[in-house]
Amino acid sequence: MPIAFLIYLVLCVLVAFVARRSRLGSLRTLLLAFLLTPLVAFIYVLLFAAIDDKSKVFYNGPAER
């Protein structure tokens, strides 16, 4: 029985690692994976949590020439 719990725990942490850059965040995803199942949390992250794009361009005013 402890091995099954360890596998469940590792899967929950893996799903949280995948969702670390999503709007939901890794801690919330970890809690969601514990409450539901890691599979349901992973599907939720893939379908509904948008990934934050770090390649966004921010406007800081006119550029110096």
Side-chain angles (χ1 to χ4, degrees):
M1 191 62 142
I3 292 175
F5 180 72
L6 184 64
I7 292 171
Y8 189 83
L9 182 68
V10 167
L11 288 174
C12 290
V13 170
L14 245 137
V15 171
F17 181 75
V18 169
R20 70 188 184 280
R21 292 186 181 170
S22 68
R23 286 187 306 173
L24 196 56
S26 61
L27 184 62
R28 289 183 186 169
T29 305
L30 184 64
L31 291 174
L32 185 70
F34 278 134
L35 294 176
L36 300 174
T37 63
L39 180 65
V40 172
F42 184 68
I43 292 171
Y44 178 78
V45 167
L46 289 180
L47 292 179
F48 298 112
I51 302 291
D52 291 337
D53 189 13
K54 294 211 177 219
S55 65
K56 292 179 183 175
V57 176
F58 295 102
Y59 180 72
N60 291 330
E64 296 182 28
R65 293 182 188 202

Short mmCIF file of all heavy atoms in Angstrom, two decimals:
data_model
loop_
_atom_site.label_atom_id
_atom_site.label_comp_id
_atom_site.label_asym_id
_atom_site.label_seq_id
_atom_site.Cartn_x
_atom_site.Cartn_y
_atom_site.Cartn_z
N MET A 1 0.80 -1.21 0.00
CA MET A 1 0.00 0.00 0.00
C MET A 1 0.85 1.28 0.00
O MET A 1 0.49 2.24 -0.66
CB MET A 1 -0.94 -0.03 1.21
CG MET A 1 -1.98 1.04 1.14
SD MET A 1 -3.02 0.81 -0.28
CE MET A 1 -4.57 1.26 0.35
N PRO A 2 1.97 1.36 0.73
CA PRO A 2 2.77 2.58 0.69
C PRO A 2 3.36 2.87 -0.69
O PRO A 2 3.55 4.03 -1.03
CB PRO A 2 3.89 2.32 1.70
CG PRO A 2 3.39 1.25 2.57
CD PRO A 2 2.46 0.44 1.76
N ILE A 3 3.61 1.83 -1.48
CA ILE A 3 4.16 2.05 -2.81
C ILE A 3 3.11 2.71 -3.71
O ILE A 3 3.42 3.60 -4.49
CB ILE A 3 4.66 0.73 -3.42
CG1 ILE A 3 5.87 0.25 -2.64
CG2 ILE A 3 5.01 0.91 -4.88
CD1 ILE A 3 6.39 -1.09 -3.06
N ALA A 4 1.85 2.32 -3.57
CA ALA A 4 0.78 2.93 -4.35
C ALA A 4 0.62 4.41 -3.99
O ALA A 4 0.42 5.26 -4.87
CB ALA A 4 -0.53 2.18 -4.12
N PHE A 5 0.73 4.73 -2.70
CA PHE A 5 0.64 6.13 -2.28
C PHE A 5 1.83 6.93 -2.80
O PHE A 5 1.68 8.09 -3.21
CB PHE A 5 0.56 6.23 -0.76
CG PHE A 5 0.46 7.64 -0.27
CD1 PHE A 5 -0.71 8.36 -0.44
CD2 PHE A 5 1.54 8.26 0.33
CE1 PHE A 5 -0.81 9.67 -0.01
CE2 PHE A 5 1.46 9.57 0.76
CZ PHE A 5 0.27 10.28 0.59
N LEU A 6 3.00 6.33 -2.81
CA LEU A 6 4.19 7.00 -3.33
C LEU A 6 4.06 7.27 -4.82
O LEU A 6 4.41 8.36 -5.29
CB LEU A 6 5.43 6.16 -3.04
CG LEU A 6 6.76 6.78 -3.45
CD1 LEU A 6 7.03 8.03 -2.64
CD2 LEU A 6 7.88 5.78 -3.28
N ILE A 7 3.52 6.33 -5.56
CA ILE A 7 3.29 6.53 -7.00
C ILE A 7 2.28 7.64 -7.22
O ILE A 7 2.46 8.50 -8.09
CB ILE A 7 2.85 5.22 -7.66
CG1 ILE A 7 4.00 4.22 -7.66
CG2 ILE A 7 2.35 5.45 -9.08
CD1 ILE A 7 3.61 2.83 -8.10
N TYR A 8 1.21 7.66 -6.42
CA TYR A 8 0.20 8.71 -6.52
C TYR A 8 0.82 10.07 -6.22
O TYR A 8 0.56 11.05 -6.92
CB TYR A 8 -0.93 8.40 -5.53
CG TYR A 8 -2.14 9.30 -5.67
CD1 TYR A 8 -3.11 9.02 -6.63
CD2 TYR A 8 -2.32 10.41 -4.86
CE1 TYR A 8 -4.23 9.82 -6.76
CE2 TYR A 8 -3.42 11.21 -4.99
CZ TYR A 8 -4.37 10.92 -5.94
OH TYR A 8 -5.47 11.72 -6.08
N LEU A 9 1.65 10.14 -5.21
CA LEU A 9 2.32 11.38 -4.84
C LEU A 9 3.25 11.86 -5.95
O LEU A 9 3.26 13.06 -6.29
CB LEU A 9 3.09 11.19 -3.55
CG LEU A 9 3.81 12.38 -2.98
CD1 LEU A 9 2.80 13.41 -2.50
CD2 LEU A 9 4.72 11.97 -1.85
N VAL A 10 4.00 10.96 -6.55
CA VAL A 10 4.92 11.32 -7.64
C VAL A 10 4.13 11.83 -8.85
O VAL A 10 4.51 12.81 -9.48
CB VAL A 10 5.82 10.13 -8.01
CG1 VAL A 10 6.54 10.37 -9.31
CG2 VAL A 10 6.80 9.86 -6.89
N LEU A 11 3.02 11.20 -9.16
CA LEU A 11 2.20 11.65 -10.28
C LEU A 11 1.61 13.03 -10.02
O LEU A 11 1.55 13.87 -10.93
CB LEU A 11 1.09 10.64 -10.57
CG LEU A 11 1.54 9.34 -11.20
CD1 LEU A 11 0.36 8.37 -11.31
CD2 LEU A 11 2.15 9.57 -12.56
N CYS A 12 1.20 13.29 -8.79
CA CYS A 12 0.68 14.62 -8.44
C CYS A 12 1.75 15.69 -8.59
O CYS A 12 1.49 16.77 -9.13
CB CYS A 12 0.14 14.62 -7.02
SG CYS A 12 -1.36 13.68 -6.80
N VAL A 13 2.95 15.40 -8.15
CA VAL A 13 4.06 16.35 -8.26
C VAL A 13 4.43 16.56 -9.73
O VAL A 13 4.75 17.68 -10.14
CB VAL A 13 5.26 15.89 -7.42
CG1 VAL A 13 6.49 16.71 -7.69
CG2 VAL A 13 4.90 15.91 -5.95
N LEU A 14 4.38 15.53 -10.53
CA LEU A 14 4.67 15.65 -11.95
C LEU A 14 3.67 16.57 -12.65
O LEU A 14 4.06 17.40 -13.47
CB LEU A 14 4.65 14.26 -12.60
CG LEU A 14 6.00 13.83 -13.14
CD1 LEU A 14 6.23 12.39 -12.79
CD2 LEU A 14 5.99 14.00 -14.62
N VAL A 15 2.41 16.42 -12.33
CA VAL A 15 1.38 17.28 -12.92
C VAL A 15 1.59 18.73 -12.47
O VAL A 15 1.46 19.66 -13.27
CB VAL A 15 -0.03 16.78 -12.55
CG1 VAL A 15 -1.09 17.78 -12.95
CG2 VAL A 15 -0.30 15.44 -13.20
N ALA A 16 1.96 18.92 -11.22
CA ALA A 16 2.23 20.27 -10.73
C ALA A 16 3.45 20.87 -11.43
O ALA A 16 3.49 22.07 -11.71
CB ALA A 16 2.45 20.24 -9.23
N PHE A 17 4.44 20.05 -11.74
CA PHE A 17 5.62 20.53 -12.45
C PHE A 17 5.25 20.97 -13.86
O PHE A 17 5.75 21.98 -14.35
CB PHE A 17 6.68 19.43 -12.49
CG PHE A 17 7.94 19.85 -13.19
CD1 PHE A 17 8.83 20.69 -12.57
CD2 PHE A 17 8.23 19.40 -14.46
CE1 PHE A 17 10.00 21.09 -13.20
CE2 PHE A 17 9.38 19.78 -15.11
CZ PHE A 17 10.27 20.63 -14.47
N VAL A 18 4.38 20.24 -14.52
CA VAL A 18 3.94 20.61 -15.87
C VAL A 18 3.19 21.94 -15.83
O VAL A 18 3.32 22.76 -16.73
CB VAL A 18 3.06 19.49 -16.47
CG1 VAL A 18 2.37 19.95 -17.74
CG2 VAL A 18 3.89 18.26 -16.74
N ALA A 19 2.43 22.17 -14.78
CA ALA A 19 1.60 23.37 -14.69
C ALA A 19 2.28 24.55 -14.02
O ALA A 19 1.63 25.53 -13.71
CB ALA A 19 0.32 23.03 -13.94
N ARG A 20 3.58 24.50 -13.84
CA ARG A 20 4.26 25.57 -13.10
C ARG A 20 4.19 26.92 -13.80
O ARG A 20 4.25 27.95 -13.15
CB ARG A 20 5.70 25.19 -12.81
CG ARG A 20 6.59 25.17 -14.01
CD ARG A 20 7.96 24.60 -13.70
NE ARG A 20 8.85 24.66 -14.82
CZ ARG A 20 8.85 23.80 -15.83
NH1 ARG A 20 8.00 22.80 -15.82
NH2 ARG A 20 9.68 23.94 -16.84
N ARG A 21 4.04 26.94 -15.10
CA ARG A 21 3.97 28.21 -15.83
C ARG A 21 2.56 28.56 -16.28
O ARG A 21 2.37 29.47 -17.06
CB ARG A 21 4.88 28.17 -17.04
CG ARG A 21 6.33 28.12 -16.66
CD ARG A 21 7.20 28.23 -17.85
NE ARG A 21 8.61 28.15 -17.45
CZ ARG A 21 9.58 28.03 -18.28
NH1 ARG A 21 9.34 27.97 -19.57
NH2 ARG A 21 10.82 27.97 -17.85
N SER A 22 1.58 27.84 -15.80
CA SER A 22 0.21 28.14 -16.19
C SER A 22 -0.39 29.16 -15.23
O SER A 22 0.19 29.48 -14.19
CB SER A 22 -0.64 26.86 -16.18
OG SER A 22 -0.81 26.40 -14.87
N ARG A 23 -1.56 29.66 -15.57
CA ARG A 23 -2.22 30.62 -14.69
C ARG A 23 -2.62 29.97 -13.38
O ARG A 23 -2.70 30.63 -12.36
CB ARG A 23 -3.48 31.17 -15.37
CG ARG A 23 -3.20 32.16 -16.46
CD ARG A 23 -4.47 32.78 -16.94
NE ARG A 23 -5.41 31.72 -17.32
CZ ARG A 23 -6.65 31.94 -17.65
NH1 ARG A 23 -7.13 33.14 -17.67
NH2 ARG A 23 -7.44 30.94 -18.00
N LEU A 24 -2.88 28.70 -13.40
CA LEU A 24 -3.30 28.00 -12.19
C LEU A 24 -2.16 27.88 -11.19
O LEU A 24 -2.37 27.94 -9.99
CB LEU A 24 -3.82 26.61 -12.58
CG LEU A 24 -4.63 25.85 -11.57
CD1 LEU A 24 -5.82 26.66 -11.12
CD2 LEU A 24 -5.08 24.54 -12.15
N GLY A 25 -0.95 27.72 -11.67
CA GLY A 25 0.20 27.63 -10.79
C GLY A 25 0.44 26.20 -10.31
O GLY A 25 -0.43 25.35 -10.38
N SER A 26 1.62 25.98 -9.81
CA SER A 26 1.98 24.62 -9.42
C SER A 26 1.35 24.19 -8.10
O SER A 26 0.93 23.05 -7.96
CB SER A 26 3.50 24.48 -9.34
OG SER A 26 4.01 25.35 -8.38
N LEU A 27 1.24 25.10 -7.14
CA LEU A 27 0.66 24.73 -5.85
C LEU A 27 -0.83 24.41 -5.97
O LEU A 27 -1.31 23.42 -5.42
CB LEU A 27 0.89 25.83 -4.83
CG LEU A 27 0.41 25.54 -3.42
CD1 LEU A 27 1.16 24.33 -2.85
CD2 LEU A 27 0.60 26.73 -2.53
N ARG A 28 -1.55 25.24 -6.69
CA ARG A 28 -2.98 24.97 -6.89
C ARG A 28 -3.21 23.68 -7.68
O ARG A 28 -4.12 22.92 -7.39
CB ARG A 28 -3.64 26.13 -7.61
CG ARG A 28 -3.79 27.35 -6.76
CD ARG A 28 -4.51 28.42 -7.51
NE ARG A 28 -4.52 29.65 -6.75
CZ ARG A 28 -4.89 30.81 -7.23
NH1 ARG A 28 -5.27 30.90 -8.48
NH2 ARG A 28 -4.88 31.88 -6.47
N THR A 29 -2.36 23.45 -8.65
CA THR A 29 -2.48 22.22 -9.43
C THR A 29 -2.15 21.01 -8.57
O THR A 29 -2.79 19.97 -8.69
CB THR A 29 -1.56 22.26 -10.65
OG1 THR A 29 -1.84 23.44 -11.39
CG2 THR A 29 -1.76 21.06 -11.53
N LEU A 30 -1.18 21.15 -7.69
CA LEU A 30 -0.85 20.06 -6.78
C LEU A 30 -2.02 19.74 -5.87
O LEU A 30 -2.37 18.57 -5.67
CB LEU A 30 0.39 20.42 -5.96
CG LEU A 30 0.94 19.36 -5.03
CD1 LEU A 30 1.43 18.16 -5.84
CD2 LEU A 30 2.05 19.92 -4.18
N LEU A 31 -2.65 20.76 -5.33
CA LEU A 31 -3.83 20.53 -4.48
C LEU A 31 -4.98 19.92 -5.28
O LEU A 31 -5.69 19.04 -4.78
CB LEU A 31 -4.27 21.85 -3.84
CG LEU A 31 -3.33 22.42 -2.80
CD1 LEU A 31 -3.82 23.78 -2.34
CD2 LEU A 31 -3.20 21.46 -1.63
N LEU A 32 -5.17 20.38 -6.50
CA LEU A 32 -6.22 19.82 -7.36
C LEU A 32 -5.93 18.36 -7.68
O LEU A 32 -6.84 17.53 -7.67
CB LEU A 32 -6.32 20.64 -8.65
CG LEU A 32 -7.42 20.27 -9.61
CD1 LEU A 32 -8.77 20.67 -9.03
CD2 LEU A 32 -7.20 20.95 -10.94
N ALA A 33 -4.68 18.03 -7.90
CA ALA A 33 -4.31 16.65 -8.19
C ALA A 33 -4.52 15.75 -6.97
O ALA A 33 -4.91 14.60 -7.11
CB ALA A 33 -2.86 16.58 -8.66
N PHE A 34 -4.27 16.28 -5.78
CA PHE A 34 -4.53 15.50 -4.57
C PHE A 34 -6.01 15.27 -4.36
O PHE A 34 -6.44 14.18 -4.01
CB PHE A 34 -3.96 16.19 -3.33
CG PHE A 34 -2.50 15.96 -3.12
CD1 PHE A 34 -1.68 17.01 -2.79
CD2 PHE A 34 -1.95 14.71 -3.24
CE1 PHE A 34 -0.33 16.83 -2.59
CE2 PHE A 34 -0.60 14.49 -3.04
CZ PHE A 34 0.21 15.56 -2.72
N LEU A 35 -6.81 16.32 -4.57
CA LEU A 35 -8.24 16.20 -4.32
C LEU A 35 -8.95 15.35 -5.37
O LEU A 35 -9.84 14.57 -5.03
CB LEU A 35 -8.88 17.59 -4.27
CG LEU A 35 -8.45 18.45 -3.10
CD1 LEU A 35 -9.08 19.83 -3.21
CD2 LEU A 35 -8.84 17.81 -1.78
N LEU A 36 -8.57 15.53 -6.61
CA LEU A 36 -9.15 14.72 -7.67
C LEU A 36 -8.17 13.59 -7.95
O LEU A 36 -7.77 12.90 -7.03
CB LEU A 36 -9.41 15.58 -8.90
CG LEU A 36 -10.37 16.76 -8.68
CD1 LEU A 36 -10.43 17.62 -9.92
CD2 LEU A 36 -11.74 16.27 -8.31
N THR A 37 -7.79 13.41 -9.15
CA THR A 37 -6.73 12.47 -9.48
C THR A 37 -5.72 13.20 -10.35
O THR A 37 -6.05 14.21 -10.97
CB THR A 37 -7.26 11.24 -10.24
OG1 THR A 37 -7.79 11.66 -11.49
CG2 THR A 37 -8.32 10.51 -9.46
N PRO A 38 -4.50 12.71 -10.41
CA PRO A 38 -3.51 13.38 -11.26
C PRO A 38 -3.94 13.41 -12.73
O PRO A 38 -3.66 14.38 -13.43
CB PRO A 38 -2.25 12.54 -11.08
CG PRO A 38 -2.40 11.91 -9.76
CD PRO A 38 -3.87 11.67 -9.59
N LEU A 39 -4.63 12.40 -13.19
CA LEU A 39 -5.08 12.38 -14.58
C LEU A 39 -6.09 13.48 -14.85
O LEU A 39 -5.98 14.20 -15.85
CB LEU A 39 -5.68 11.01 -14.93
CG LEU A 39 -6.18 10.86 -16.35
CD1 LEU A 39 -5.02 10.96 -17.33
CD2 LEU A 39 -6.90 9.56 -16.52
N VAL A 40 -7.05 13.66 -13.99
CA VAL A 40 -8.05 14.72 -14.16
C VAL A 40 -7.40 16.10 -14.07
O VAL A 40 -7.72 16.99 -14.86
CB VAL A 40 -9.18 14.56 -13.13
CG1 VAL A 40 -10.13 15.73 -13.16
CG2 VAL A 40 -9.92 13.26 -13.34
N ALA A 41 -6.48 16.27 -13.14
CA ALA A 41 -5.79 17.55 -13.01
C ALA A 41 -4.94 17.84 -14.24
O ALA A 41 -4.87 18.97 -14.70
CB ALA A 41 -4.93 17.55 -11.76
N PHE A 42 -4.29 16.82 -14.80
CA PHE A 42 -3.48 17.00 -15.99
C PHE A 42 -4.35 17.39 -17.18
O PHE A 42 -4.00 18.30 -17.94
CB PHE A 42 -2.72 15.71 -16.30
CG PHE A 42 -1.78 15.82 -17.46
CD1 PHE A 42 -0.67 16.62 -17.38
CD2 PHE A 42 -2.01 15.12 -18.63
CE1 PHE A 42 0.21 16.72 -18.45
CE2 PHE A 42 -1.16 15.22 -19.69
CZ PHE A 42 -0.03 16.02 -19.60
N ILE A 43 -5.50 16.76 -17.34
CA ILE A 43 -6.42 17.12 -18.43
C ILE A 43 -6.92 18.54 -18.23
O ILE A 43 -7.02 19.31 -19.19
CB ILE A 43 -7.57 16.12 -18.51
CG1 ILE A 43 -7.04 14.76 -18.97
CG2 ILE A 43 -8.67 16.60 -19.44
CD1 ILE A 43 -8.03 13.63 -18.89
N TYR A 44 -7.22 18.93 -17.00
CA TYR A 44 -7.66 20.29 -16.73
C TYR A 44 -6.58 21.31 -17.10
O TYR A 44 -6.88 22.34 -17.72
CB TYR A 44 -8.03 20.43 -15.25
CG TYR A 44 -8.45 21.83 -14.88
CD1 TYR A 44 -9.72 22.28 -15.19
CD2 TYR A 44 -7.57 22.71 -14.26
CE1 TYR A 44 -10.12 23.56 -14.87
CE2 TYR A 44 -7.95 23.98 -13.94
CZ TYR A 44 -9.23 24.41 -14.25
OH TYR A 44 -9.60 25.68 -13.94
N VAL A 45 -5.35 21.02 -16.76
CA VAL A 45 -4.25 21.94 -17.08
C VAL A 45 -4.09 22.05 -18.59
O VAL A 45 -3.91 23.15 -19.12
CB VAL A 45 -2.94 21.46 -16.42
CG1 VAL A 45 -1.74 22.19 -17.00
CG2 VAL A 45 -3.01 21.67 -14.93
N LEU A 46 -4.16 20.95 -19.29
CA LEU A 46 -3.99 20.99 -20.74
C LEU A 46 -5.13 21.71 -21.44
O LEU A 46 -4.91 22.42 -22.42
CB LEU A 46 -3.88 19.57 -21.30
CG LEU A 46 -2.59 18.83 -20.98
CD1 LEU A 46 -2.63 17.44 -21.60
CD2 LEU A 46 -1.39 19.59 -21.48
N LEU A 47 -6.34 21.57 -20.95
CA LEU A 47 -7.49 22.14 -21.64
C LEU A 47 -7.82 23.58 -21.23
O LEU A 47 -8.16 24.40 -22.07
CB LEU A 47 -8.73 21.27 -21.41
CG LEU A 47 -8.70 19.89 -22.05
CD1 LEU A 47 -9.97 19.13 -21.71
CD2 LEU A 47 -8.54 20.00 -23.55
N PHE A 48 -7.74 23.87 -19.94
CA PHE A 48 -8.31 25.13 -19.47
C PHE A 48 -7.31 26.13 -18.92
O PHE A 48 -7.62 27.32 -18.87
CB PHE A 48 -9.35 24.85 -18.39
CG PHE A 48 -10.50 24.04 -18.89
CD1 PHE A 48 -10.68 22.75 -18.45
CD2 PHE A 48 -11.37 24.55 -19.84
CE1 PHE A 48 -11.72 21.98 -18.91
CE2 PHE A 48 -12.42 23.79 -20.31
CZ PHE A 48 -12.60 22.50 -19.84
N ALA A 49 -6.17 25.73 -18.48
CA ALA A 49 -5.21 26.68 -17.91
C ALA A 49 -4.27 27.16 -19.00
O ALA A 49 -3.47 26.40 -19.52
CB ALA A 49 -4.43 26.03 -16.78
N ALA A 50 -4.39 28.42 -19.36
CA ALA A 50 -3.55 28.98 -20.41
C ALA A 50 -2.12 29.12 -19.91
O ALA A 50 -1.87 29.51 -18.78
CB ALA A 50 -4.08 30.34 -20.84
N ILE A 51 -1.20 28.80 -20.77
CA ILE A 51 0.21 28.91 -20.45
C ILE A 51 0.63 30.38 -20.61
O ILE A 51 0.30 31.02 -21.59
CB ILE A 51 1.06 28.02 -21.38
CG1 ILE A 51 0.62 26.57 -21.29
CG2 ILE A 51 2.54 28.17 -21.08
CD1 ILE A 51 0.93 25.90 -19.98
N ASP A 52 1.35 30.91 -19.61
CA ASP A 52 1.87 32.27 -19.71
C ASP A 52 3.02 32.27 -20.71
O ASP A 52 3.96 31.52 -20.58
CB ASP A 52 2.38 32.75 -18.35
CG ASP A 52 1.24 32.97 -17.38
OD1 ASP A 52 0.11 33.17 -17.84
OD2 ASP A 52 1.50 32.95 -16.17
N ASP A 53 2.92 33.15 -21.69
CA ASP A 53 3.94 33.22 -22.72
C ASP A 53 4.98 34.26 -22.32
O ASP A 53 4.67 35.42 -22.14
CB ASP A 53 3.30 33.59 -24.06
CG ASP A 53 4.26 33.47 -25.22
OD1 ASP A 53 5.34 32.88 -25.04
OD2 ASP A 53 3.92 33.95 -26.31
N LYS A 54 6.23 33.83 -22.19
CA LYS A 54 7.29 34.75 -21.80
C LYS A 54 7.83 35.55 -22.98
O LYS A 54 8.67 36.40 -22.81
CB LYS A 54 8.42 33.98 -21.14
CG LYS A 54 8.00 33.36 -19.85
CD LYS A 54 9.14 33.27 -18.92
CE LYS A 54 8.60 32.71 -17.63
NZ LYS A 54 9.16 33.29 -16.50
N SER A 55 7.34 35.27 -24.17
CA SER A 55 7.83 35.99 -25.34
C SER A 55 6.97 37.21 -25.66
O SER A 55 7.07 37.76 -26.73
CB SER A 55 7.87 35.05 -26.54
OG SER A 55 6.56 34.64 -26.89
N LYS A 56 6.12 37.63 -24.71
CA LYS A 56 5.31 38.81 -24.93
C LYS A 56 6.21 40.04 -24.97
O LYS A 56 7.16 40.17 -24.22
CB LYS A 56 4.29 38.98 -23.81
CG LYS A 56 3.22 37.92 -23.81
CD LYS A 56 2.27 38.16 -22.67
CE LYS A 56 1.24 37.06 -22.62
NZ LYS A 56 0.36 37.19 -21.45
N VAL A 57 5.87 40.96 -25.83
CA VAL A 57 6.64 42.19 -25.97
C VAL A 57 5.91 43.28 -25.20
O VAL A 57 4.73 43.52 -25.43
CB VAL A 57 6.80 42.57 -27.45
CG1 VAL A 57 7.53 43.89 -27.59
CG2 VAL A 57 7.51 41.46 -28.20
N PHE A 58 6.60 43.92 -24.29
CA PHE A 58 6.01 44.99 -23.51
C PHE A 58 6.51 46.32 -24.06
O PHE A 58 7.68 46.48 -24.38
CB PHE A 58 6.39 44.86 -22.04
CG PHE A 58 5.83 43.62 -21.41
CD1 PHE A 58 6.62 42.52 -21.19
CD2 PHE A 58 4.50 43.55 -21.06
CE1 PHE A 58 6.12 41.38 -20.62
CE2 PHE A 58 3.98 42.44 -20.48
CZ PHE A 58 4.78 41.33 -20.27
N TYR A 59 5.63 47.30 -24.13
CA TYR A 59 5.97 48.60 -24.65
C TYR A 59 6.45 49.46 -23.49
O TYR A 59 5.73 49.71 -22.52
CB TYR A 59 4.75 49.23 -25.32
CG TYR A 59 5.05 50.58 -25.88
CD1 TYR A 59 5.85 50.72 -27.02
CD2 TYR A 59 4.52 51.72 -25.32
CE1 TYR A 59 6.12 51.96 -27.56
CE2 TYR A 59 4.79 52.97 -25.85
CZ TYR A 59 5.59 53.08 -26.97
OH TYR A 59 5.87 54.30 -27.48
N ASN A 60 7.67 49.96 -23.58
CA ASN A 60 8.24 50.78 -22.52
C ASN A 60 8.45 52.23 -22.96
O ASN A 60 9.24 52.94 -22.39
CB ASN A 60 9.60 50.21 -22.07
CG ASN A 60 9.44 48.92 -21.35
OD1 ASN A 60 8.43 48.69 -20.70
ND2 ASN A 60 10.43 48.06 -21.44
N GLY A 61 7.75 52.65 -23.97
CA GLY A 61 7.91 54.02 -24.44
C GLY A 61 8.69 54.04 -25.74
O GLY A 61 9.06 53.03 -26.28
N PRO A 62 8.94 55.24 -26.24
CA PRO A 62 9.65 55.34 -27.52
C PRO A 62 11.11 54.89 -27.38
O PRO A 62 11.75 55.13 -26.37
CB PRO A 62 9.58 56.83 -27.85
CG PRO A 62 9.31 57.51 -26.57
CD PRO A 62 8.56 56.53 -25.70
N ALA A 63 11.56 54.24 -28.39
CA ALA A 63 12.94 53.75 -28.41
C ALA A 63 13.89 54.87 -28.81
O ALA A 63 13.56 55.71 -29.63
CB ALA A 63 13.08 52.58 -29.40
N GLU A 64 15.06 54.88 -28.20
CA GLU A 64 16.07 55.88 -28.56
C GLU A 64 16.76 55.48 -29.83
O GLU A 64 17.04 54.32 -30.06
CB GLU A 64 17.08 56.02 -27.42
CG GLU A 64 16.48 56.55 -26.14
CD GLU A 64 17.54 56.69 -25.08
OE1 GLU A 64 18.72 56.90 -25.42
OE2 GLU A 64 17.19 56.59 -23.91
N ARG A 65 17.07 56.44 -30.65
CA ARG A 65 17.72 56.14 -31.94
C ARG A 65 19.09 56.71 -31.97
O ARG A 65 19.53 57.61 -31.49
CB ARG A 65 16.90 56.68 -33.09
CG ARG A 65 15.60 55.96 -33.21
CD ARG A 65 14.86 56.49 -34.39
NE ARG A 65 13.53 55.91 -34.36
CZ ARG A 65 12.76 55.79 -35.37
NH1 ARG A 65 13.14 56.22 -36.53
NH2 ARG A 65 11.59 55.27 -35.25
#
